[in-house]
Amino acid sequence: MNDFRFYNPVRIHFGREAMAQLPEELAGVGKKILLVYGGGSIKASGLYDRVLAALREAGKDVVELPGVMPNPRTEKVYEGIDLCKTHGVDFILAVGGGSVIDCAKAIAVGARTDRDFWQAFFVNWEEAEDAIPLGTILTIPATGSEMDRSSVITNWATGEKNGYDSDLTYPAFSILDPTLTYTLPKHQMVNGVVDTLSHIWELYFSEPDTESVTDALAEALMRSVISATRTALKDPTDYVARANIMWASTFALCGMLNNGKKTDWASHNIEHPLSAVFDVAHGAGLAVVHPNYMKYFCSYAPERYARYAVQVWGVDPAGKTTLAVAQEGIQRTRDFFNEIGAPATLTDLGIPESAIEDLAARTDLSCWAYRELTREDVKAILGMCL
Ligand code: NZQ
Ligand code: ZN
């Protein structure tokens, strides 16, 4: 097990009654609130009215930033920074999914500096010295942004999708009510499940592969997500299934599964140009890329991939080579994605073969699982995705 630092200050309120904690959380923050949300799902579900009523009850002055798009763009962040500076915002409340929360985090650091937020933080990765505190109400389990320190923003003009990490962008609190996810369209739920599994794989398939608490936790989470997804697809209002999916997605990126591991992120790095250039949903892109990445790389760590096949998919290893067991586990992964209706090819995503060269050129190669990732590897993996 590698040495590690673990820090996570996010207060989680989880469950059917979690929204009841909002007034107490609001009592502890400043008067001027920026309310950040997406394209309208929170209005359709009635959540917007509940949040606004709580804010009014708490005597807050509310400034709104609606319309955060999936794969949130720099323009939206600049709009939010302007609102914060103009109105002297004290606290940001993000209500939605990873896109809304990531946008809120970028605004939080961008509003407390005179530097250009994109160039300073998302390109140069300079240290942020201050940030407006934020809280979240999560409506789609997927990214883990509600309990992590990351924000991912797309610069549509340059075709870049970059991330920024800072301890200052941990939310102060996050409200996780699984019943808020009942309204998710099936494909959005599936995208979230794929993203959750992909996060676990980015951490699990990396050295060291010696026996560890971290890997055992990862395997348990994967089994829970797979079984809960099957249940929730049959009955979208199955509370236990929705609750397990929600907590697993949050847990996957809260830092616990990084502990002692090198971590990879190659599949995420390969996916990011897909969503930056073609605006595909992050989870949909991963559903195409990650199983092919596994297929391509499994011969460099056959024991680890075979362990995954046995522990997560129940593959019987009797009479098979280690590599054959590993490959069976990867096939089961693809079969599961097909079963739940996740996309399988670049064609499914509307991405032509002619784009591969450019997408590979845009891929950040600073990742490492069992060996270095090269530009040729990326081209070969994207070729397998056709
Ligand atoms: O915009 P609205 O109308 O709210 O609709 C959203 C959106 O269209 C809808 N939705 C959310 N909750 C709903 C709902 N519809 C009905 N009922 C509900 N309860 O779902 C759509 C997708 O939402 P979005 O926030 O884009 O999804 P997600 O949470 O998957 O976020 C994706 C973004 O997060 C980044 C991705 O790259 C992508 O930009 N990531 C962030 C990470 C992080 N901060 O740590 C890590 C991830 O690997 C990822 O890169
Ligand atoms: Zn992800």
Side-chain angles (χ1 to χ4, degrees):
M1 197 187 291
N2 295 340
D3 295 355
F4 61 86
R5 159 194 185 265
F6 176 74
Y7 171 70
N8 195 308
V10 184
R11 258 189 319 284
I12 296 291
H13 300 291
F14 190 97
R16 284 189 178 92
E17 302 303 325
M19 279 291 288
Q21 302 305 313
L22 184 58
E24 195 180 323
E25 289 290 359
L26 292 177
V29 306
K31 194 170 168 59
K32 192 76 84 175
I33 311 281
L34 181 72
L35 177 62
V36 184
Y37 55 97
S41 74
I42 69 162
K43 288 199 169 163
S45 69
L47 179 60
Y48 171 83
D49 292 334
R50 292 168 71 192
V51 172
L52 218 59
L55 286 164
R56 290 215 178 98
E57 188 71 20
K60 306 297 181 189
D61 293 340
V62 181
V63 182
E64 297 193 27
L65 181 68
V68 176
M69 61 296 280
N71 300 322
R73 300 190 188 172
T74 46
E75 289 83 351
K76 208 66 195 172
V77 179
Y78 288 121
E79 204 182 320
I81 291 172
D82 277 352
L83 286 174
C84 288
K85 289 188 171 173
T86 306
H87 296 276
V89 163
D90 303 304
F91 187 82
I92 303 175
L93 184 61
V95 185
S99 296
V100 168
I101 300 171
D102 286 4
C103 185
K105 288 176 174 177
I107 294 167
V109 285
R112 289 274 168 95
T113 182
D114 291 331
R115 289 174 282 170
D116 174 74
F117 95 91
W118 175 257
Q119 196 60 38
F121 304 130
F122 288 77
V123 176
N124 299 340
W125 289 352
E126 292 166 20
E127 195 86 9
E129 61 276 346
D130 196 8
I132 299 176
L134 71 140
T136 87
I137 301 172
L138 184 68
T139 61
I140 170 170
T143 66
S145 189
E146 64 280 5
M147 202 180 172
D148 76 18
R149 66 204 284 272
S150 306
S151 165
V152 183
I153 300 294
T154 297
N155 185 327
W156 192 247
T158 61
E160 290 168 287
K161 185 173 191 180
N162 295 354
Y164 181 64
D165 294 344
S166 165
D167 278 359
L168 293 171
T169 54
Y170 277 115
F173 67 85
S174 282
I175 292 178
L176 277 58
D177 174 352
T179 67
L180 295 177
T181 69
Y182 290 173
T183 54
L184 275 172
K186 182 190 165 212
H187 73 281
Q188 297 291 7
M189 178 200 147
V190 167
N191 288 345
V193 164
V194 172
D195 194 22
T196 299
L197 286 171
S198 178
H199 294 154
I200 302 172
W201 297 329
E202 298 282 17
L203 308 170
Y204 177 81
F205 291 109
S206 71
E207 291 168 327
D209 287 341
T210 45
E211 197 60 43
S212 77
V213 169
T214 300
D215 286 337
L217 284 171
E219 287 163 0
L221 276 190
M222 288 188 263
R223 287 191 296 266
S224 292
V225 170
I226 292 160
S227 128
T229 300
R230 287 182 166 136
T231 307
L233 283 176
K234 273 193 219 110
D235 178 4
T237 60
D238 185 304
Y239 179 79
V240 174
R242 290 293 200 176
N244 279 316
I245 293 171
M246 193 171 224
W247 184 228
S249 73
T250 302
F251 195 98
L253 272 199
C254 74
M256 280 287 188
L257 298 188
N258 300 48
N259 292 339
K261 301 286 287 185
K262 189 179 176 83
T263 80
D264 182 4
W265 298 108
S267 293
H268 269 66
N269 285 4
I270 297 171
E271 191 287 320
H272 278 173
L274 271 58
S275 39
V277 178
F278 289 92
D279 203 20
V280 302
H282 175 60
L286 288 169
V288 173
V289 169
H290 214 142
N292 284 306
Y293 171 82
M294 288 174 159
K295 221 186 263 181
Y296 186 83
F297 262 87
C298 76
S299 60
Y300 295 95
E303 287 83 9
R304 165 59 36 150
Y305 278 91
R307 176 179 163 142
Y308 163 74
V310 173
Q311 295 295 330
V312 177
W313 296 106
V315 171
D316 179 2
K320 298 169 192 162
T321 63
T322 306
L323 189 59
V325 176
Q327 286 164 338
E328 202 174 324
I330 296 166
Q331 188 55 48
R332 295 275 189 101
T333 306
R334 183 64 256 170
D335 292 346
F336 175 68
F337 280 1
N338 294 345
E339 174 193 331
I340 65 176
T345 63
L346 289 181
T347 312
D348 290 345
L349 301 176
I351 299 177
E353 183 175 4
S354 56
I356 289 181
E357 191 76 32
D358 177 53
L359 292 169
R362 291 171 185 274
T363 302
D364 174 5
L365 300 176
S366 58
C367 43
W368 198 97
Y370 295 97
R371 76 164 172 78
E372 201 182 339
L373 181 75
T374 68
R375 200 76 61 202
E376 290 311 309
D377 292 331
V378 179
K379 278 191 230 168
I381 292 163
L382 289 174
M384 290 163 69
C385 295
L386 284 168

